[in-house]
């Protein structure tokens, strides 16, 4: 992982900025709006405004990046209950990403009250105040997650925000998501922007139930997952359910949580070639090209 990338702020449609990763060939956020995505794909689907009445809330921010998802979460929680004690663990491989977000003053156009806390987290990787205990674990999330498990940390909300599955398959595998499910409280919610069938199958394989979050800007919905009853989550449409019966639903696998992206992609391709599931192109023709 290179930390010498020259992250230049890119304007998105809601007036907030994001970075573009040369290494992963992708923007860190949707071009429809980086700030909007943090609220609508992460803070809202994990129902933080509703759970903010609790005395303590624990958040696990997987792929902390610029810190937008944590920022949106803190704003949402403290707007409802300023005395809620929040514990945050962020996982991020590249420490210069959150630092560059602060150096470029990217929270200025959020009119954000808690930039000082995020700045301390970016540079010192630790914040302790009367209502926030936050730690940024720097390293491959596949290793850091095991540390989180050992701490017995049980999150009320998990934000799963890696680059897309084809670019960063190692953080969308059945095995990694199993590790995440161990850190999710029985009543907690995991949210991700992805609606990829492979991601949804991995969430199901990890023993979670899934729901669909409304599309925001992008044409596609996101996904919310939990232990327990799927009926408590916004249901998948008939097309989304059928998507899970096609080849696209073969999940990524990484048995030892240590394979390269290339190996993980190849392993899935092999499995897709030999499976008897319907080709996804046929599903697409039925549900998407006809609309
Ligand atoms: C889509 S961006 C996340 C955006 C972020 N959530 C935000 O709100 O700004 C993906 C992030 O994952 C980080 N990343 C990539 N591979 C990783 C890995 N194996 N472990 C932990 N973080 C990783 C990248 O450095 C990048 O910051």
């Amino acid at each position: 992982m290179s930390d010498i990338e020259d992250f230049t702020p890119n304007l998105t449609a809601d007036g907030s900025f994001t970075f573009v990763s040369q290494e992963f060939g992708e923007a860190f956020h949707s071009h429809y709006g980086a700030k909007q995505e943090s609220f609508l794909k992460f803070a809202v689907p994990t129902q933080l405004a509703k759970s903010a009445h609790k005395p303590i809330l624990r958040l696990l921010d997987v792929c902390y990046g610029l810190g937008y998802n944590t920022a949106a979460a803190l704003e949402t929680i403290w707007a409802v209950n300023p005395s809620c004690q929040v514990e945050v663990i962020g996982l991020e491989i590249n420490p210069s990403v959150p630092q560059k977000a602060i150096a470029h003053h990217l929270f200025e156009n959020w009119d954000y009250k808690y930039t000082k806390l995020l700045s301390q987290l970016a540079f010192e990787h630790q914040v302790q105040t009367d209502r926030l205990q936050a730690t940024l674990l720097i390293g491959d999330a596949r290793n850091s997650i095991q540390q989180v498990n050992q701490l017995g940390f049980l999150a009320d909300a998990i934000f799963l925000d890696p680059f897309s599955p084809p670019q960063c398959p190692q953080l969308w595998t059945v095995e990694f998501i199993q590790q995440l499910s161990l850190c999710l409280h029985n009543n907690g919610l995991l949210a991700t922007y992805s609606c990829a069938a492979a991601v949804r199958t991995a969430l199901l394989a990890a023993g979670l139930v899934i729901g669909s979050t409304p599309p925001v800007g992008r044409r596609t919905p996101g996904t919310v997952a939990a232990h327990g009853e799927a009926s408590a989550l916004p249901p998948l449409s008939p097309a989304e359910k059928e998507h899970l019966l096609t080849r696209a639903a073969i999940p990524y696998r990484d048995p030892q949580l240590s394979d390269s992206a290339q190996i993980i992609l190849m392993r899935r391709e092999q499995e897709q070639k030999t499976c008897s599931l319907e080709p996804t192109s046929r599903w697409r023709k039925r549900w998407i090209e006809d609309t």
Side-chain angles (χ1 to χ4, degrees):
M1 169 69 58
S2 104
D3 62 357
I4 49 161
E5 279 201 58
D6 174 30
F7 293 115
T8 310
N10 273 38
L11 186 61
T12 69
D14 68 356
S16 63
F17 290 87
T18 189
F19 293 143
V20 175
S21 166
Q22 275 140 34
E23 184 175 355
F24 289 90
E26 249 174 36
F28 283 64
H29 298 94
S30 154
H31 70 268
Y32 289 106
K35 175 181 176 185
Q36 169 185 270
E37 188 178 45
S38 293
F39 282 92
L40 299 183
K41 288 280 182 183
F42 295 96
V44 172
T46 50
Q47 301 180 13
L48 292 176
K50 210 166 123 192
S51 41
H53 67 273
K54 293 185 185 165
I56 300 183
L57 277 184
R58 297 187 175 88
L59 314 176
L60 177 60
D61 189 350
V62 182
C63 294
Y64 180 87
L66 293 75
Y68 281 13
N69 295 340
T70 289
L74 294 178
E75 190 168 296
T76 302
I77 294 165
W78 287 336
V80 174
N81 177 8
S83 57
C84 182
Q85 304 268 339
V86 185
E87 292 180 19
V88 180
I89 297 185
L91 311 184
E92 172 55 51
I93 203 164
N94 186 346
S96 78
V97 177
Q99 292 172 358
K100 292 263 166 70
I102 299 295
H104 284 292
H105 306 287
L106 297 194
F107 289 100
E108 254 168 36
N109 79 353
W110 280 50
D111 192 20
Y112 196 67
K113 287 190 207 141
Y114 312 114
T115 309
K116 232 172 138 181
L117 296 175
L118 297 184
S119 174
Q120 192 182 338
L121 190 55
F123 288 95
E124 295 171 29
H125 304 164
Q126 192 78 44
V127 176
Q128 174 84 57
T129 70
D130 53 350
R131 60 176 180 170
L132 178 67
Q133 190 181 318
T135 306
L136 192 54
L137 296 177
I138 300 297
D140 189 328
R142 291 179 294 179
N143 299 326
S144 317
I145 192 64
Q146 301 182 39
Q147 211 176 316
V148 179
N149 269 323
Q150 280 156 14
L151 288 171
F153 188 86
L154 286 176
D156 297 286
I158 298 183
F159 310 136
L160 177 57
D161 195 12
F163 291 114
S164 68
Q167 302 306 326
C168 192
Q170 54 274 43
L171 299 186
W172 300 102
T173 63
V174 171
E175 292 78 9
F176 181 67
I177 290 178
Q178 263 160 356
Q179 291 293 314
L180 294 183
S181 79
L182 296 175
C183 301
L184 182 65
H185 190 278
N186 267 340
N187 301 319
L189 290 167
L190 176 153
T192 179
Y193 68 87
S194 177
C195 65
V199 169
R200 288 180 163 178
T201 316
L203 289 161
L204 293 169
L208 300 173
V209 293
I210 60 170
S212 194
T213 64
V216 186
R218 294 174 198 245
R219 289 178 303 130
T220 54
T223 305
V224 62
H227 297 290
E229 296 289 317
S231 58
L233 302 177
L236 266 55
S237 68
E240 289 175 284
K241 282 184 189 158
E242 270 189 32
H243 194 201
L244 301 185
L245 304 174
T246 74
R247 281 181 202 175
I250 299 278
Y252 299 90
R253 295 189 184 275
D254 181 13
Q256 309 304 325
L257 288 172
S258 59
D259 284 334
S260 66
Q262 201 192 2
I263 300 243
I264 296 169
L265 292 173
M266 271 171 40
R267 181 179 289 125
R268 176 168 179 262
E269 263 173 44
Q270 284 304 322
E271 201 178 332
Q272 283 179 314
K273 274 188 199 146
T274 54
C275 78
S276 56
L277 296 174
E278 181 187 38
T280 307
S281 54
R282 226 184 281 156
W283 167 86
R284 193 168 293 115
K285 222 173 166 59
R286 216 169 34 249
W287 286 102
I288 300 179
E289 290 168 15
D290 288 353
T291 55

